[in-house]
Amino acid sequence: MNGKLYASIGPFSWVSLSFTRRQMIVLFTDYGLAGPYTGQVRAVLHRDAPGEAVIDLFADLPPFDAKRAAYLLVAYAAGFPAGTVFLCVVDPGVGGDRAPVAGVVDGRWFVGPDNGIFEHVVRRASSRPIWTRIAYRPDRVSATFHGRDVFAPVAARLAQGLSVPGEREFEGLGRFADWPDDLTEIVYVDHFGNAITGCRAASIPRHTSIIAGGQRIFFARTFSAVQKGQVFCYENANGLLEFAVNQGRADTVLGLSVGSSFILDPNVSGNTSAGG
């Protein structure tokens, strides 16, 4: 299917997005897959947008941590096509003063709380983002579950090209200028024990000394370039610096967890690639 998707971000404002496929709704949350929360959100999406694909990208983001989620969102969103709707909920301030927002950034929709989770998506945008403060409210809305009651219905509407009531051209999106462009901390530990950082690998000069868990870590291109059990770091599939152990767990070997910091010392050379 080819054509244009016209989606409203306010009562009189429309944004045109080219598309060549059905739209995807991508879940990016700290809800977890155990328990009812992700299932309840998916149920609303199925009810309101039954023909749209729903993708579980992250359900296990660091709880309550919009800052670290922001570094993951900008890295992983880049791999999705224009027209994708990201439903992003890491929302410790739910029910409080933070605004519910929806915006178009480089052709993709982002829906969620205005609490910094979109900071790096906005900061690295190649075109001017357009945001609306969501005014949509169902007849019954929980004070503690806006992901289900506000954000999911809005994401479903956007995926279908429908309008969302809100303040047009909302300019009050919170900004977090003190958050660095690249974060020298662990922002996520995956199923294998690999420790993903908030730092783009391309931003690190090749001969920078990298120290994590008290060890100097060497670059390798991939797992098979090093011996079994060897610690290394590499540019992961989404462009972030990642610490790993070939057929082992970097989090255990290096004592890393979300929030652990590491050192980049450009004044100390010698970080040649492991394995040649």
Side-chain angles (χ1 to χ4, degrees):
M1 182 165 56
N2 297 286
K4 295 277 187 180
L5 170 67
Y6 293 92
S8 173
I9 63 163
F12 307 108
S13 179
W14 293 79
V15 173
S16 172
L17 299 175
S18 298
F19 70 97
T20 58
R21 56 179 67 81
R22 297 192 68 86
Q23 307 312 304
M24 288 185 284
I25 301 172
V26 175
L27 300 183
F28 183 85
T29 80
D30 62 356
Y31 286 152
L33 291 175
Y37 306 116
T38 296
Q40 287 181 286
V41 169
R42 290 178 64 89
V44 171
L45 296 172
H46 180 71
R47 178 195 70 198
D48 293 354
E52 309 301 335
V54 178
I55 308 299
D56 293 308
L57 181 57
F58 282 92
D60 58 347
L61 292 168
F64 321 120
D65 197 339
K67 178 179 179 179
R68 293 183 178 92
Y71 291 91
L72 291 166
L73 179 60
V74 68
Y76 284 77
F80 288 83
T84 300
V85 180
F86 288 87
L87 174 51
C88 305
V89 190
V90 177
D91 196 12
V94 61
D97 294 335
R98 64 94 186 99
V101 297
V104 180
V105 185
D106 291 339
R108 304 176 187 92
W109 285 102
F110 295 87
V111 180
D114 179 15
N115 62 2
I117 196 169
F118 303 123
E119 171 64 25
H120 291 289
V121 167
V122 171
R123 192 182 297 186
R124 298 182 198 173
S126 60
S127 57
R128 178 177 173 269
I130 304 174
W131 292 92
T132 184
R133 181 179 180 128
I134 297 167
Y136 168 81
R137 291 294 184 276
D139 293 336
R140 179 178 177 272
V141 56
S142 167
T144 60
F145 202 176
H146 287 187
R148 178 193 67 187
D149 296 341
V150 177
F151 299 131
V154 167
R157 291 181 65 84
L158 289 172
Q160 297 175 95
L162 302 175
S163 64
V164 177
E167 178 186 333
R168 182 168 58 93
E169 295 285 336
F170 172 62
E171 297 292 347
L173 191 72
R175 299 304 307 275
F176 296 79
D178 58 326
W179 292 3
D181 289 339
D182 292 280
L183 184 67
T184 53
E185 294 180 6
I186 305 306
V187 297
Y188 183 81
V189 177
D190 72 12
H191 169 73
F192 299 102
N194 301 327
I196 301 174
T197 77
C199 192
R200 291 167 291 182
S203 72
I204 303 171
R206 192 61 172 170
H207 295 288
T208 298
S209 180
I210 301 175
I211 300 172
Q215 298 186 36
R216 190 170 69 164
I217 312 298
F218 292 90
F219 271 103
R221 188 178 67 85
T222 188
F223 290 80
S224 61
V226 303
Q227 296 296 315
K228 180 179 179 180
Q230 185 173 341
V231 178
F232 68 103
C233 62
Y234 70 109
E235 179 176 352
N236 76 8
N238 296 280
L240 296 175
L241 178 72
E242 185 167 323
F243 297 108
V245 173
N246 186 15
Q247 300 179 56
R249 296 189 64 92
D251 59 342
T252 300
V253 172
L254 296 174
L256 300 177
S257 59
V258 171
S260 296
S261 61
F262 59 95
I263 297 170
L264 298 177
D265 189 348
N267 298 314
V268 180
S269 63
N271 190 10
T272 54
S273 298

